[in-house]
Amino acid sequence: MISRLRSMIKNNERIYHFARGTAMAYRRRRYGLRGVHKTFYMLGGSTISKDLVAHEYSFIAQGAVIGPKVEIGPYVMFGPRVMIVGGDHVFDIPGTPTIFSGRPELKETKIHADAWLGAGVIVIAGVTIGRGSIVAAGSVVTKDIPPYEIHGGVPAKKIKDRFASQADIDTHEAMLAKEPFRGTFCAHLEVQERGPEVTG
């Protein structure tokens, strides 16, 4: 019964968007998120500061931990268990334990449009991640990442450029310059039935 209902919701776009909007309205109230766009979507099981600013069609998967002063742009995707933390303790006062040393002014963290942070990424507070950048799963981001670069590792370093040419970047920039629009959200991967294996 439940699987039939889920299938019906998935296959009817109007029902799907209604169900998604209803779920998100509940989560906005539950988490006290007033600075998120109505098209922002998140899964449950996260710890998120109430001052989060999230723009159109951005997404946060389950298990996120997001501290204060974070802004995410349109079309941004966070994989499961992404964390934006740190930079919030003074540790260099001789003769005083860190726990009693106080906290410095927390810097803003900005994740610009169409960035994708893979599962388990940790971003140190105060970092800026550029438009269209991708951060590989399990990475720790300690420094700003320029637009349209793919970074990974601990600490995260550049792996390669996202696009092959400046013309590709210009095309993507032209799309991002338009008013944000609704598209088809990421479809779940379907496991196809395998035929009999051929041996020989």
Short mmCIF file of all heavy atoms in Angstrom, two decimals, residues 6-71:
data_model
loop_
_atom_site.label_atom_id
_atom_site.label_comp_id
_atom_site.label_asym_id
_atom_site.label_seq_id
_atom_site.Cartn_x
_atom_site.Cartn_y
_atom_site.Cartn_z
N ARG A 6 3.68 5.80 -2.77
CA ARG A 6 4.92 6.47 -3.17
C ARG A 6 5.08 6.51 -4.68
O ARG A 6 5.49 7.50 -5.25
CB ARG A 6 6.12 5.77 -2.54
CG ARG A 6 6.32 6.10 -1.10
CD ARG A 6 7.60 5.49 -0.59
NE ARG A 6 7.77 5.79 0.81
CZ ARG A 6 8.36 5.00 1.68
NH1 ARG A 6 8.85 3.84 1.29
NH2 ARG A 6 8.47 5.35 2.93
N SER A 7 4.77 5.38 -5.33
CA SER A 7 4.88 5.30 -6.78
C SER A 7 3.93 6.30 -7.45
O SER A 7 4.28 6.97 -8.42
CB SER A 7 4.58 3.88 -7.24
OG SER A 7 4.65 3.80 -8.63
N MET A 8 2.71 6.42 -6.92
CA MET A 8 1.73 7.35 -7.47
C MET A 8 2.22 8.80 -7.31
O MET A 8 2.11 9.60 -8.23
CB MET A 8 0.38 7.17 -6.76
CG MET A 8 -0.74 8.00 -7.36
SD MET A 8 -2.29 7.71 -6.50
CE MET A 8 -2.07 8.74 -5.06
N ILE A 9 2.77 9.11 -6.15
CA ILE A 9 3.29 10.46 -5.91
C ILE A 9 4.44 10.76 -6.86
O ILE A 9 4.50 11.83 -7.46
CB ILE A 9 3.71 10.63 -4.44
CG1 ILE A 9 2.48 10.67 -3.54
CG2 ILE A 9 4.54 11.89 -4.24
CD1 ILE A 9 2.79 10.60 -2.06
N LYS A 10 5.38 9.81 -7.01
CA LYS A 10 6.54 10.01 -7.89
C LYS A 10 6.13 10.24 -9.34
O LYS A 10 6.74 11.02 -10.05
CB LYS A 10 7.43 8.77 -7.86
CG LYS A 10 8.60 8.85 -6.97
CD LYS A 10 9.48 7.66 -7.30
CE LYS A 10 10.43 7.35 -6.20
NZ LYS A 10 11.18 6.15 -6.46
N ASN A 11 5.08 9.53 -9.77
CA ASN A 11 4.69 9.57 -11.18
C ASN A 11 3.75 10.70 -11.54
O ASN A 11 3.45 10.91 -12.71
CB ASN A 11 4.06 8.22 -11.59
CG ASN A 11 5.07 7.10 -11.53
OD1 ASN A 11 6.26 7.32 -11.76
ND2 ASN A 11 4.62 5.91 -11.20
N ASN A 12 3.25 11.44 -10.57
CA ASN A 12 2.38 12.57 -10.83
C ASN A 12 3.08 13.83 -10.33
O ASN A 12 3.19 14.05 -9.12
CB ASN A 12 1.03 12.38 -10.15
CG ASN A 12 0.05 13.48 -10.50
OD1 ASN A 12 0.38 14.66 -10.50
ND2 ASN A 12 -1.17 13.08 -10.81
N GLU A 13 3.53 14.68 -11.25
CA GLU A 13 4.34 15.84 -10.88
C GLU A 13 3.60 16.80 -9.95
O GLU A 13 4.18 17.32 -9.01
CB GLU A 13 4.81 16.57 -12.14
CG GLU A 13 5.87 17.59 -11.83
CD GLU A 13 6.51 18.19 -13.07
OE1 GLU A 13 6.49 17.55 -14.12
OE2 GLU A 13 7.01 19.32 -12.97
N ARG A 14 2.30 17.01 -10.19
CA ARG A 14 1.55 17.94 -9.34
C ARG A 14 1.44 17.41 -7.91
O ARG A 14 1.64 18.15 -6.95
CB ARG A 14 0.16 18.18 -9.93
CG ARG A 14 0.21 19.01 -11.21
CD ARG A 14 -1.13 19.13 -11.81
NE ARG A 14 -1.86 20.19 -11.12
CZ ARG A 14 -3.08 20.56 -11.45
NH1 ARG A 14 -3.72 19.98 -12.43
NH2 ARG A 14 -3.67 21.53 -10.79
N ILE A 15 1.14 16.13 -7.78
CA ILE A 15 1.05 15.53 -6.45
C ILE A 15 2.42 15.55 -5.78
O ILE A 15 2.55 15.86 -4.60
CB ILE A 15 0.49 14.09 -6.53
CG1 ILE A 15 -0.96 14.10 -6.99
CG2 ILE A 15 0.60 13.40 -5.17
CD1 ILE A 15 -1.53 12.72 -7.26
N TYR A 16 3.46 15.23 -6.56
CA TYR A 16 4.82 15.21 -6.02
C TYR A 16 5.20 16.57 -5.44
O TYR A 16 5.68 16.66 -4.31
CB TYR A 16 5.80 14.80 -7.13
CG TYR A 16 7.25 14.94 -6.75
CD1 TYR A 16 7.85 14.01 -5.90
CD2 TYR A 16 8.01 16.00 -7.21
CE1 TYR A 16 9.18 14.13 -5.54
CE2 TYR A 16 9.34 16.13 -6.86
CZ TYR A 16 9.92 15.19 -6.03
OH TYR A 16 11.23 15.32 -5.67
N HIS A 17 4.98 17.65 -6.22
CA HIS A 17 5.36 18.98 -5.73
C HIS A 17 4.50 19.44 -4.56
O HIS A 17 4.99 20.11 -3.66
CB HIS A 17 5.34 19.99 -6.88
CG HIS A 17 6.49 19.82 -7.82
ND1 HIS A 17 7.79 20.10 -7.46
CD2 HIS A 17 6.55 19.35 -9.08
CE1 HIS A 17 8.60 19.82 -8.47
NE2 HIS A 17 7.87 19.36 -9.46
N PHE A 18 3.23 19.03 -4.55
CA PHE A 18 2.37 19.34 -3.40
C PHE A 18 2.89 18.65 -2.14
O PHE A 18 3.03 19.26 -1.08
CB PHE A 18 0.92 18.95 -3.68
CG PHE A 18 0.03 19.11 -2.48
CD1 PHE A 18 -0.42 20.37 -2.11
CD2 PHE A 18 -0.32 18.02 -1.70
CE1 PHE A 18 -1.22 20.54 -0.98
CE2 PHE A 18 -1.12 18.17 -0.57
CZ PHE A 18 -1.58 19.43 -0.22
N ALA A 19 3.18 17.35 -2.25
CA ALA A 19 3.68 16.58 -1.10
C ALA A 19 5.01 17.14 -0.62
O ALA A 19 5.25 17.29 0.58
CB ALA A 19 3.82 15.10 -1.48
N ARG A 20 5.88 17.47 -1.55
CA ARG A 20 7.19 18.02 -1.21
C ARG A 20 7.03 19.37 -0.50
O ARG A 20 7.69 19.63 0.51
CB ARG A 20 7.99 18.17 -2.50
CG ARG A 20 9.44 18.49 -2.34
CD ARG A 20 10.07 18.51 -3.74
NE ARG A 20 11.39 19.07 -3.69
CZ ARG A 20 12.51 18.36 -3.74
NH1 ARG A 20 12.46 17.06 -3.85
NH2 ARG A 20 13.68 18.95 -3.69
N GLY A 21 6.16 20.23 -1.03
CA GLY A 21 5.92 21.55 -0.43
C GLY A 21 5.32 21.44 0.97
O GLY A 21 5.69 22.19 1.88
N THR A 22 4.42 20.49 1.16
CA THR A 22 3.80 20.27 2.47
C THR A 22 4.84 19.80 3.48
O THR A 22 4.90 20.31 4.61
CB THR A 22 2.66 19.24 2.35
OG1 THR A 22 1.70 19.74 1.40
CG2 THR A 22 1.98 19.03 3.69
N ALA A 23 5.67 18.85 3.06
CA ALA A 23 6.72 18.35 3.96
C ALA A 23 7.68 19.47 4.35
O ALA A 23 8.08 19.59 5.50
CB ALA A 23 7.49 17.20 3.29
N MET A 24 8.02 20.30 3.38
CA MET A 24 8.99 21.37 3.66
C MET A 24 8.38 22.47 4.52
O MET A 24 9.06 23.04 5.37
CB MET A 24 9.54 21.94 2.34
CG MET A 24 10.80 22.74 2.52
SD MET A 24 12.09 21.86 3.44
CE MET A 24 12.54 23.12 4.61
N ALA A 25 7.11 22.76 4.34
CA ALA A 25 6.46 23.77 5.21
C ALA A 25 6.53 23.32 6.67
O ALA A 25 6.82 24.11 7.57
CB ALA A 25 5.01 23.97 4.78
N TYR A 26 6.31 22.01 6.90
CA TYR A 26 6.42 21.46 8.25
C TYR A 26 7.86 21.60 8.78
O TYR A 26 8.08 22.03 9.91
CB TYR A 26 5.99 19.99 8.25
CG TYR A 26 6.40 19.25 9.49
CD1 TYR A 26 5.73 19.46 10.70
CD2 TYR A 26 7.47 18.37 9.48
CE1 TYR A 26 6.12 18.80 11.86
CE2 TYR A 26 7.87 17.71 10.63
CZ TYR A 26 7.19 17.92 11.81
OH TYR A 26 7.58 17.27 12.95
N ARG A 27 8.85 21.25 7.94
CA ARG A 27 10.25 21.31 8.40
C ARG A 27 10.69 22.75 8.65
O ARG A 27 11.47 23.00 9.56
CB ARG A 27 11.16 20.62 7.37
CG ARG A 27 10.99 19.13 7.39
CD ARG A 27 12.01 18.41 6.55
NE ARG A 27 11.68 17.00 6.55
CZ ARG A 27 11.36 16.31 5.47
NH1 ARG A 27 11.36 16.89 4.29
NH2 ARG A 27 11.07 15.04 5.55
N ARG A 28 10.24 23.71 7.83
CA ARG A 28 10.59 25.12 8.07
C ARG A 28 10.12 25.54 9.45
O ARG A 28 10.83 26.21 10.18
CB ARG A 28 9.96 26.02 7.00
CG ARG A 28 10.81 26.18 5.76
CD ARG A 28 10.37 27.35 4.92
NE ARG A 28 8.98 27.31 4.52
CZ ARG A 28 8.52 26.74 3.40
NH1 ARG A 28 9.36 26.16 2.58
NH2 ARG A 28 7.26 26.75 3.12
N ARG A 29 8.88 25.16 9.80
CA ARG A 29 8.36 25.50 11.13
C ARG A 29 9.13 24.77 12.22
O ARG A 29 9.51 25.36 13.22
CB ARG A 29 6.87 25.15 11.22
CG ARG A 29 5.95 26.27 10.79
CD ARG A 29 4.52 26.05 11.23
NE ARG A 29 3.97 24.77 10.84
CZ ARG A 29 3.51 24.46 9.64
NH1 ARG A 29 3.54 25.36 8.68
NH2 ARG A 29 3.02 23.26 9.38
N ARG A 30 9.35 23.48 12.03
CA ARG A 30 10.03 22.67 13.06
C ARG A 30 11.43 23.18 13.35
O ARG A 30 11.86 23.23 14.49
CB ARG A 30 10.08 21.22 12.58
CG ARG A 30 10.77 20.32 13.57
CD ARG A 30 10.68 18.87 13.16
NE ARG A 30 11.48 18.09 14.08
CZ ARG A 30 12.28 17.12 13.71
NH1 ARG A 30 12.39 16.80 12.46
NH2 ARG A 30 12.96 16.47 14.61
N TYR A 31 12.17 23.56 12.31
CA TYR A 31 13.55 24.02 12.48
C TYR A 31 13.63 25.54 12.70
O TYR A 31 14.70 26.06 12.94
CB TYR A 31 14.39 23.63 11.27
CG TYR A 31 14.77 22.16 11.22
CD1 TYR A 31 13.93 21.24 10.61
CD2 TYR A 31 15.95 21.71 11.78
CE1 TYR A 31 14.27 19.91 10.56
CE2 TYR A 31 16.30 20.37 11.74
CZ TYR A 31 15.45 19.47 11.12
OH TYR A 31 15.78 18.14 11.08
N GLY A 32 12.50 26.25 12.57
CA GLY A 32 12.50 27.70 12.76
C GLY A 32 13.22 28.45 11.66
O GLY A 32 13.80 29.50 11.90
N LEU A 33 13.18 27.90 10.44
CA LEU A 33 13.92 28.49 9.32
C LEU A 33 13.07 29.55 8.62
O LEU A 33 12.16 29.23 7.86
CB LEU A 33 14.32 27.39 8.31
CG LEU A 33 15.18 26.26 8.88
CD1 LEU A 33 15.39 25.18 7.83
CD2 LEU A 33 16.51 26.81 9.36
N ARG A 34 13.41 30.80 8.87
CA ARG A 34 12.65 31.91 8.26
C ARG A 34 13.35 32.49 7.04
O ARG A 34 12.75 33.19 6.26
CB ARG A 34 12.44 33.00 9.30
CG ARG A 34 11.55 32.54 10.41
CD ARG A 34 11.09 33.71 11.27
NE ARG A 34 10.15 33.23 12.26
CZ ARG A 34 10.31 33.37 13.55
NH1 ARG A 34 11.37 33.99 14.01
NH2 ARG A 34 9.40 32.91 14.38
N GLY A 35 14.64 32.17 6.87
CA GLY A 35 15.41 32.77 5.78
C GLY A 35 15.60 31.86 4.59
O GLY A 35 16.53 32.05 3.81
N VAL A 36 14.72 30.86 4.46
CA VAL A 36 14.85 29.94 3.33
C VAL A 36 13.72 30.18 2.33
O VAL A 36 12.59 30.47 2.72
CB VAL A 36 14.90 28.47 3.78
CG1 VAL A 36 16.07 28.23 4.74
CG2 VAL A 36 13.61 28.02 4.41
N HIS A 37 14.04 30.04 1.06
CA HIS A 37 13.05 30.21 0.00
C HIS A 37 12.04 29.08 0.04
O HIS A 37 12.36 27.97 0.47
CB HIS A 37 13.76 30.25 -1.36
CG HIS A 37 12.88 30.72 -2.46
ND1 HIS A 37 12.13 29.84 -3.22
CD2 HIS A 37 12.61 31.95 -2.94
CE1 HIS A 37 11.44 30.52 -4.12
NE2 HIS A 37 11.72 31.80 -3.97
N LYS A 38 10.82 29.33 -0.43
CA LYS A 38 9.78 28.29 -0.36
C LYS A 38 10.11 27.06 -1.21
O LYS A 38 9.57 25.98 -0.98
CB LYS A 38 8.42 28.87 -0.77
CG LYS A 38 8.35 29.29 -2.22
CD LYS A 38 6.99 29.88 -2.55
CE LYS A 38 6.94 30.26 -4.01
NZ LYS A 38 5.63 30.79 -4.39
N THR A 39 11.04 27.19 -2.17
CA THR A 39 11.42 26.04 -2.99
C THR A 39 12.61 25.28 -2.42
O THR A 39 12.99 24.24 -2.95
CB THR A 39 11.77 26.47 -4.43
OG1 THR A 39 12.84 27.41 -4.37
CG2 THR A 39 10.57 27.10 -5.12
N PHE A 40 13.22 25.81 -1.36
CA PHE A 40 14.31 25.10 -0.67
C PHE A 40 13.75 23.80 -0.10
O PHE A 40 12.61 23.75 0.36
CB PHE A 40 14.85 25.98 0.46
CG PHE A 40 15.63 25.24 1.51
CD1 PHE A 40 16.92 24.82 1.26
CD2 PHE A 40 15.07 24.96 2.75
CE1 PHE A 40 17.66 24.16 2.24
CE2 PHE A 40 15.79 24.30 3.72
CZ PHE A 40 17.09 23.89 3.46
N TYR A 41 14.56 22.74 -0.12
CA TYR A 41 14.08 21.46 0.40
C TYR A 41 15.18 20.80 1.22
O TYR A 41 16.36 20.90 0.88
CB TYR A 41 13.65 20.54 -0.74
CG TYR A 41 12.91 19.32 -0.25
CD1 TYR A 41 11.61 19.44 0.25
CD2 TYR A 41 13.49 18.08 -0.28
CE1 TYR A 41 10.92 18.33 0.72
CE2 TYR A 41 12.81 16.96 0.19
CZ TYR A 41 11.52 17.10 0.68
OH TYR A 41 10.85 15.99 1.13
N MET A 42 14.78 20.13 2.27
CA MET A 42 15.74 19.41 3.09
C MET A 42 15.10 18.14 3.62
O MET A 42 13.88 18.07 3.78
CB MET A 42 16.22 20.27 4.26
CG MET A 42 15.13 20.64 5.25
SD MET A 42 15.72 21.57 6.66
CE MET A 42 16.33 20.25 7.68
N LEU A 43 15.93 17.16 3.86
CA LEU A 43 15.47 15.95 4.52
C LEU A 43 15.65 16.14 6.02
O LEU A 43 16.30 17.08 6.47
CB LEU A 43 16.27 14.75 4.01
CG LEU A 43 16.13 14.48 2.51
CD1 LEU A 43 17.00 13.31 2.09
CD2 LEU A 43 14.68 14.25 2.11
N GLY A 44 15.11 15.25 6.82
CA GLY A 44 15.14 15.41 8.27
C GLY A 44 16.45 14.96 8.90
O GLY A 44 17.41 14.62 8.22
N GLY A 45 16.45 14.95 10.21
CA GLY A 45 17.58 14.45 10.97
C GLY A 45 18.80 15.34 10.97
O GLY A 45 19.92 14.86 11.08
N SER A 46 18.61 16.64 10.85
CA SER A 46 19.73 17.59 10.79
C SER A 46 19.70 18.54 11.97
O SER A 46 18.69 18.71 12.63
CB SER A 46 19.67 18.39 9.49
OG SER A 46 19.86 17.56 8.37
N THR A 47 20.85 19.18 12.22
CA THR A 47 20.95 20.25 13.20
C THR A 47 21.36 21.50 12.42
O THR A 47 22.47 21.57 11.90
CB THR A 47 22.03 19.92 14.25
OG1 THR A 47 21.67 18.68 14.89
CG2 THR A 47 22.13 21.02 15.29
N ILE A 48 20.44 22.45 12.31
CA ILE A 48 20.65 23.61 11.45
C ILE A 48 20.35 24.88 12.22
O ILE A 48 19.29 25.01 12.85
CB ILE A 48 19.77 23.52 10.19
CG1 ILE A 48 20.17 22.29 9.38
CG2 ILE A 48 19.88 24.78 9.35
CD1 ILE A 48 19.34 22.05 8.15
N SER A 49 21.29 25.84 12.16
CA SER A 49 21.07 27.13 12.79
C SER A 49 19.87 27.84 12.16
O SER A 49 19.68 27.80 10.94
CB SER A 49 22.33 28.00 12.64
OG SER A 49 22.13 29.25 13.25
N LYS A 50 19.07 28.47 13.01
CA LYS A 50 17.84 29.12 12.54
C LYS A 50 18.09 30.28 11.59
O LYS A 50 17.18 30.71 10.89
CB LYS A 50 17.01 29.61 13.73
CG LYS A 50 16.44 28.48 14.53
CD LYS A 50 15.64 28.98 15.71
CE LYS A 50 15.11 27.80 16.50
NZ LYS A 50 14.26 28.20 17.60
N ASP A 51 19.32 30.81 11.55
CA ASP A 51 19.59 31.96 10.68
C ASP A 51 20.04 31.54 9.27
O ASP A 51 20.46 32.37 8.48
CB ASP A 51 20.61 32.90 11.31
CG ASP A 51 22.00 32.30 11.43
OD1 ASP A 51 22.14 31.07 11.26
OD2 ASP A 51 22.95 33.06 11.69
N LEU A 52 19.93 30.24 8.93
CA LEU A 52 20.31 29.79 7.60
C LEU A 52 19.56 30.58 6.54
O LEU A 52 18.35 30.79 6.63
CB LEU A 52 19.99 28.30 7.42
CG LEU A 52 20.21 27.75 6.01
CD1 LEU A 52 21.69 27.68 5.66
CD2 LEU A 52 19.56 26.38 5.86
N VAL A 53 20.31 31.03 5.52
CA VAL A 53 19.70 31.65 4.34
C VAL A 53 19.91 30.68 3.19
O VAL A 53 21.04 30.30 2.88
CB VAL A 53 20.35 33.02 4.02
CG1 VAL A 53 19.78 33.59 2.72
CG2 VAL A 53 20.15 33.98 5.18
N ALA A 54 18.81 30.23 2.58
CA ALA A 54 18.88 29.27 1.48
C ALA A 54 18.01 29.78 0.34
O ALA A 54 16.83 30.09 0.54
CB ALA A 54 18.44 27.90 1.94
N HIS A 55 18.59 29.86 -0.84
CA HIS A 55 17.89 30.40 -2.01
C HIS A 55 17.17 29.31 -2.80
O HIS A 55 17.15 28.15 -2.40
CB HIS A 55 18.88 31.17 -2.87
CG HIS A 55 19.41 32.40 -2.18
ND1 HIS A 55 18.80 33.63 -2.25
CD2 HIS A 55 20.49 32.57 -1.38
CE1 HIS A 55 19.47 34.51 -1.54
NE2 HIS A 55 20.51 33.89 -0.99
N GLU A 56 16.62 29.69 -3.94
CA GLU A 56 15.74 28.84 -4.73
C GLU A 56 16.35 27.48 -5.08
O GLU A 56 17.50 27.38 -5.48
CB GLU A 56 15.34 29.53 -6.04
CG GLU A 56 14.55 30.80 -5.85
CD GLU A 56 15.40 32.06 -5.73
OE1 GLU A 56 16.61 31.95 -5.46
OE2 GLU A 56 14.85 33.15 -5.91
N TYR A 57 15.52 26.46 -4.94
CA TYR A 57 15.84 25.08 -5.37
C TYR A 57 17.13 24.55 -4.79
O TYR A 57 17.81 23.74 -5.41
CB TYR A 57 15.83 24.98 -6.90
CG TYR A 57 14.50 25.43 -7.47
CD1 TYR A 57 14.39 26.66 -8.12
CD2 TYR A 57 13.36 24.66 -7.30
CE1 TYR A 57 13.15 27.08 -8.61
CE2 TYR A 57 12.13 25.09 -7.78
CZ TYR A 57 12.04 26.29 -8.43
OH TYR A 57 10.82 26.72 -8.91
N SER A 58 17.50 25.00 -3.61
CA SER A 58 18.66 24.43 -2.93
C SER A 58 18.19 23.24 -2.09
O SER A 58 17.00 23.13 -1.75
CB SER A 58 19.37 25.49 -2.07
OG SER A 58 18.44 26.15 -1.24
N PHE A 59 19.12 22.35 -1.77
CA PHE A 59 18.74 21.08 -1.14
C PHE A 59 19.78 20.65 -0.11
O PHE A 59 20.98 20.73 -0.35
CB PHE A 59 18.63 20.00 -2.22
CG PHE A 59 18.47 18.61 -1.66
CD1 PHE A 59 17.26 18.18 -1.15
CD2 PHE A 59 19.54 17.73 -1.64
CE1 PHE A 59 17.12 16.89 -0.63
CE2 PHE A 59 19.41 16.44 -1.13
CZ PHE A 59 18.19 16.03 -0.63
N ILE A 60 19.30 20.18 1.03
CA ILE A 60 20.17 19.62 2.08
C ILE A 60 19.67 18.22 2.41
O ILE A 60 18.52 18.04 2.80
CB ILE A 60 20.16 20.51 3.34
CG1 ILE A 60 20.75 21.89 3.03
CG2 ILE A 60 20.93 19.83 4.47
CD1 ILE A 60 20.69 22.87 4.18
N ALA A 61 20.55 17.23 2.26
CA ALA A 61 20.19 15.84 2.57
C ALA A 61 20.23 15.63 4.08
O ALA A 61 20.59 16.53 4.85
CB ALA A 61 21.13 14.88 1.85
N GLN A 62 19.92 14.42 4.51
CA GLN A 62 19.79 14.10 5.93
C GLN A 62 21.13 14.18 6.67
O GLN A 62 22.18 14.01 6.10
CB GLN A 62 19.17 12.71 6.13
CG GLN A 62 20.05 11.56 5.68
CD GLN A 62 19.90 11.22 4.20
OE1 GLN A 62 19.33 11.97 3.42
NE2 GLN A 62 20.46 10.08 3.82
N GLY A 63 21.01 14.46 7.96
CA GLY A 63 22.17 14.42 8.85
C GLY A 63 23.11 15.60 8.79
O GLY A 63 24.22 15.53 9.30
N ALA A 64 22.68 16.72 8.22
CA ALA A 64 23.54 17.91 8.14
C ALA A 64 23.72 18.55 9.51
O ALA A 64 22.83 18.48 10.36
CB ALA A 64 22.95 18.93 7.17
N VAL A 65 24.88 19.18 9.70
CA VAL A 65 25.12 20.02 10.88
C VAL A 65 25.61 21.35 10.33
O VAL A 65 26.69 21.44 9.77
CB VAL A 65 26.19 19.40 11.81
CG1 VAL A 65 26.49 20.34 12.97
CG2 VAL A 65 25.73 18.05 12.34
N ILE A 66 24.77 22.38 10.47
CA ILE A 66 25.09 23.68 9.89
C ILE A 66 25.02 24.74 10.97
O ILE A 66 23.96 25.00 11.55
CB ILE A 66 24.13 24.01 8.72
CG1 ILE A 66 24.26 22.93 7.64
CG2 ILE A 66 24.42 25.39 8.15
CD1 ILE A 66 23.32 23.09 6.49
N GLY A 67 26.18 25.36 11.21
CA GLY A 67 26.27 26.41 12.22
C GLY A 67 25.71 27.73 11.74
O GLY A 67 25.15 27.84 10.65
N PRO A 68 25.90 28.80 12.54
CA PRO A 68 25.36 30.12 12.20
C PRO A 68 26.08 30.78 11.02
O PRO A 68 27.18 30.38 10.63
CB PRO A 68 25.59 30.93 13.47
CG PRO A 68 25.97 29.98 14.53
CD PRO A 68 26.51 28.76 13.85
N LYS A 69 25.43 31.80 10.48
CA LYS A 69 25.97 32.69 9.45
C LYS A 69 26.32 31.95 8.16
O LYS A 69 27.39 32.14 7.59
CB LYS A 69 27.18 33.46 9.96
CG LYS A 69 26.86 34.46 11.06
CD LYS A 69 28.03 35.37 11.31
CE LYS A 69 27.68 36.47 12.27
NZ LYS A 69 28.77 37.41 12.50
N VAL A 70 25.41 31.10 7.70
CA VAL A 70 25.61 30.35 6.47
C VAL A 70 24.56 30.77 5.45
O VAL A 70 23.38 30.89 5.77
CB VAL A 70 25.52 28.82 6.71
CG1 VAL A 70 25.60 28.05 5.39
CG2 VAL A 70 26.62 28.37 7.66
N GLU A 71 25.02 31.00 4.22
CA GLU A 71 24.11 31.31 3.10
C GLU A 71 24.43 30.38 1.94
O GLU A 71 25.59 30.22 1.56
CB GLU A 71 24.26 32.77 2.65
CG GLU A 71 23.34 33.12 1.51
CD GLU A 71 23.38 34.60 1.12
OE1 GLU A 71 24.14 35.36 1.76
OE2 GLU A 71 22.67 34.98 0.18
#
